[in-house]
Amino acid sequence: MCSFVVLTDDLRPRGGRGTVQTDIDPRSLIGRKAFDRDGTKIGTIDEVYLDDATGVPEWAAVRTGLFSRDAFVPLEPSELVEGTLHVPFDRALIKDAPDFGVGRHLSPEQELQLYHHYGLDVASPPRLSDHDFGRLAGTEEG
């Protein structure tokens, strides 16, 4: 699950870490321009969403036009270059991202839809294999 960032001067990363995994400071992203993989402007970043468990910025909501909606873009493969966010996806794919509205919490199901939309693999928990753990203590093999 992800919560959107309410930007204030006292915002601190959770978990005691001084830097975020993506090396992108969420406070500095609001209002910055975002560009697709071809360098075409997508829009302006309205909000940043942090992972509830880690506090790491995961998603940015980008306003795609004056009368358009915000599109969620993943921050992990994106880069901050010369004060602008460069997203390694095509503009059409970004504009077609699922629309969940902004200013609300993203549920795990919504995040999963976004990851699938962008073709980003989400690691599933490792499967436990069926093992033969031997015989029960105190029993005799027959």
Side-chain angles (χ1 to χ4, degrees):
M1 292 195 280
C2 283
S3 299
F4 66 99
V5 176
V6 177
L7 295 174
T8 63
D9 289 336
D10 61 344
L11 177 68
R12 300 283 181 267
R14 289 180 251 166
R17 296 191 314 225
T19 59
V20 294
Q21 179 181 344
T22 58
D23 296 323
I24 297 174
D25 181 358
R27 295 169 288 194
S28 70
L29 288 176
I30 304 299
R32 296 203 184 251
K33 304 296 180 210
F35 295 86
D36 74 358
R37 69 175 177 200
D38 298 323
T40 303
K41 183 180 170 189
I42 303 165
T44 305
I45 300 170
D46 278 344
E47 295 178 351
V48 176
Y49 286 70
L50 304 179
D51 181 272
D52 287 341
T54 65
V56 172
E58 283 196 40
W59 300 98
V62 177
R63 172 70 54 187
T64 58
L66 186 58
F67 298 107
S68 299
R69 65 180 180 89
D70 281 60
F72 287 94
V73 297
L75 289 174
E76 179 55 37
S78 302
E79 295 180 299
L80 193 59
V81 179
E82 297 178 10
T84 60
L85 185 70
H86 291 262
V87 183
F89 299 101
D90 184 65
R91 182 178 182 186
L93 181 68
I94 294 166
K95 286 192 170 206
D96 287 341
D99 184 6
F100 302 119
V102 293
R104 290 181 256 165
H105 195 267
L106 283 178
S107 72
E109 294 79 19
Q110 290 170 328
E111 277 191 275
L112 193 57
Q113 285 180 336
L114 288 168
Y115 279 117
H116 287 304
H117 175 77
Y118 286 105
L120 299 171
D121 289 330
V122 179
S124 10
R127 292 189 61 181
L128 296 176
S129 58
D130 293 329
H131 288 291
D132 181 9
F133 289 105
R135 56 188 173 87
L136 186 59
T139 62
E140 304 267 336
E141 269 189 25

